Amino acid sequence: MPFGLLKYGFRRHYPARRYLPAVTELKDSYDIVIVGAGGHGLAAAYYLARDHGITDVAVLDKGYVGGGNTGRNTAIVRANYLTPEGVRFYDESCRLFQDLSGELDLNILYSERGHLTLAHTDAALRTMRWRAEVNKHLGVASELVFPAELAKLCPELHLGQDARYPVMGALYHPPGAIARHDAVAWGYGHGAWRRGVEIHQKTEVTGFQRANGRVTGVETTRGTIGAGLVLQATAGSSSVVAAMAGIKLPIRTVPLQACVSVPLKPFLDPIVVSGSLHVYVSQSDRGELVMGGSTDPYGLYANRSTLEFKEGLIAHILELFPFLARVKVMRQWAGMADMTPDFSPVMGLTEIDNYYIDAGWGTWGFKATPVSGKRMAECLATGRQPDILSPFRLDRFQSFEQVGERGAASVGH
Ligand code: PYC
């Protein structure tokens, strides 16, 4: 038995352990400054410390840990993408997620449910077959299933021919999962802090000082600090932060809304997605239905929720599960989706020698948290773009080497 545990057992008082650090002074400079204390920034800090022994790191956030898109998504994890580059990348993330509760010593409620993407047209079936073949080729479990099998996988799903868009089949991806999203940020934050990383909440970055093609200082609302390397991981504000460093990103930012029902007895095991009806829904361990749809159709920086979105989404959910008609929606929210032209992220080196970027997550940032943290840490520690991140480099847009991933979006955006 570890000595610490024994000492704790014999104590008269049992002080609750602190999970995230109290506010401390900022130092004059750090080897690495990470902008953004969401899942990605904290995961990068964690793997920098764990895998590379780099702990002179400050993670800064204008708000609080996990208060941005990390806490504003629908927490779906899957690897059933369309391009080989995407499948390889998200598969590594799924595998890291599977061991993450043990790794972080925190239950992130990772729950493998299987993921069904319904096809209501011949064209959709063709795309699902294509994705299944690419997935299988790379060792990722995915297959096409038809209504008889679907009725077994999800007995509550309306499969009748009287539906407006009858279900013809689905892409079934058994490793598809959900997790407790904020726990992922807390776990990575705690793990990084325990290893010596500083986390500074309520510390907004307001600009960057530059000289000779490098960033030399990070200006914040608490003063200016020196930085050997800078990583920006600020999903939802990627273009704004990059512009402060003088980098122009090919990103359009749009709200992505979601909502959650009151808790219900468990009835929905798999995650169900319909591209034609523009919905995705899963049931959390608390029994709530977590539901989302398409992004709003116009660029906007606002986390507001609209009645229009809710009415449209719920109407479509009822086409799949008509018996939910009297269920109440409990809460609604929005995150900000940074959409790139090819629907793939922008990761790695930039035109500024010591400035690294983790951006352009569109609607799939949460599921990439472990792999982006691990691989961005490797990128910063070695100064080289890891092979798995190579397709996602920023300059692909200049060389016309885009990674077209739109066909793997859960719904149309
Ligand atoms: O990629 O699975 C997904 C997803 C669901 C909601 C937003 N993105």
Side-chain angles (χ1 to χ4, degrees), residues 79-90 130-131 134-135 138 342-344 391-392 402-408:
N80 57 354
Y81 277 70
L82 178 66
T83 67
E85 296 86 347
V87 175
R88 233 176 255 123
F89 178 75
Y90 291 100
W130 178 355
R131 280 170 65 183
V134 175
N135 288 191
L138 291 162
D342 60 359
F343 281 56
S344 285
F392 308 124
Q402 304 200 15
V403 187
E405 204 59 90
R406 190 176 202 149

Side-chain angles (χ1 to χ4, degrees), residues 32-34 36-60 188-193 195-199 231 233 369 372-374 376-378 380:
I32 299 183
V33 170
I34 298 178
H40 286 220
L42 293 167
Y46 175 84
Y47 290 112
L48 275 168
R50 192 199 77 169
D51 295 352
H52 306 283
I54 301 175
T55 56
D56 186 25
V57 177
V59 186
L60 314 181
Y188 275 125
H190 181 71
W193 173 53
R195 288 168 170 81
V197 168
E198 291 184 14
I199 300 171
L231 166 64
T369 305
S372 68
K374 188 167 180 348
M376 284 308 306
E378 180 185 340
L380 273 103

Side-chain angles (χ1 to χ4, degrees), residues 20-336:
L20 288 171
V23 180
T24 52
E25 292 298 309
L26 280 168
K27 291 197 301 191
D28 290 342
S29 73
Y30 297 87
D31 288 346
I32 299 183
V33 170
I34 298 178
V35 188
H40 286 220
L42 293 167
Y46 175 84
Y47 290 112
L48 275 168
R50 192 199 77 169
D51 295 352
H52 306 283
I54 301 175
T55 56
D56 186 25
V57 177
V59 186
L60 314 181
D61 200 287
K62 67 177 178 186
Y64 56 94
V65 163
N69 280 349
T70 298
R72 298 177 166 277
N73 57 74
T74 43
I76 295 172
V77 178
R78 63 186 174 94
N80 57 354
Y81 277 70
L82 178 66
T83 67
E85 296 86 347
V87 175
R88 233 176 255 123
F89 178 75
Y90 291 100
D91 181 40
E92 181 167 314
S93 213
C94 278
R95 283 185 280 115
L96 288 166
F97 259 119
Q98 286 159 6
D99 295 331
L100 205 54
S101 293
E103 169 69 34
L104 299 179
D105 191 20
L106 178 68
N107 189 353
I108 64 157
L109 299 181
Y110 193 72
S111 176
E112 248 178 40
R113 303 292 190 84
H115 184 280
L116 290 167
T117 312
L118 307 179
H120 306 256
T121 63
D122 288 328
L125 264 186
R126 179 178 166 275
T127 308
M128 298 315 151
R129 179 167 285 123
W130 178 355
R131 280 170 65 183
E133 291 309 314
V134 175
N135 288 191
K136 280 188 280 192
H137 185 65
L138 291 162
V140 169
S142 279
E143 60 178 307
L144 215 51
V145 292
F146 294 94
E149 179 71 12
L150 267 172
K152 288 189 216 144
L153 289 167
C154 189
E156 304 76 13
L157 181 64
H158 179 50
L159 289 167
Q161 288 303 306
D162 57 329
R164 187 159 61 112
Y165 301 117
V167 176
M168 296 172 67
L171 177 67
Y172 176 46
H173 175 51
I178 51 175
R180 171 94 195 251
H181 44 14
D182 32 23
V184 174
W186 299 334
Y188 275 125
H190 181 71
W193 173 53
R194 268 188 44 220
R195 288 168 170 81
V197 168
E198 291 184 14
I199 300 171
H200 293 278
Q201 308 184 74
K202 295 191 280 183
T203 306
E204 183 167 359
V205 170
T206 53
F208 295 101
Q209 296 175 345
R210 288 180 55 185
N212 306 322
R214 295 175 66 80
V215 168
T216 51
V218 180
E219 295 165 358
T220 81
T221 44
R222 296 172 57 206
T224 299
I225 50 180
L229 306 175
V230 175
L231 166 64
Q232 101 157 55
T234 55
S237 320
S238 298
S239 313
V240 180
V241 175
M244 288 187 218
I247 298 173
K248 192 163 186 292
L249 295 179
I251 280 178
R252 184 176 63 99
T253 300
V254 287
L256 178 61
Q257 301 190 48
C259 61
V260 66
S261 76
V262 293
L264 304 169
K265 287 182 187 162
F267 74 91
L268 182 63
D269 199 44
I271 303 150
V272 176
V273 177
S274 165
S276 301
L277 294 173
H278 302 288
V279 296
Y280 35 88
V281 54
S282 66
Q283 189 169 21
S284 75
D285 290 319
R286 276 199 299 203
E288 296 153 354
L289 295 176
V290 182
M291 303 170 275
S294 307
T295 52
D296 287 3
Y298 33 76
L300 187 69
Y301 284 99
N303 284 333
R304 90 275 180 265
S305 300
T306 64
L307 180 60
E308 187 190 8
F309 164 81
K310 187 162 56 183
E311 284 179 342
L313 177 74
I314 299 301
H316 286 141
I317 295 270
L318 292 183
E319 296 197 35
L320 300 176
F321 301 101
F323 62 93
L324 295 176
R326 301 185 67 81
V327 170
K328 290 193 168 50
V329 168
M330 183 170 67
R331 197 162 62 84
Q332 198 181 344
W333 68 90
M336 307 304 309

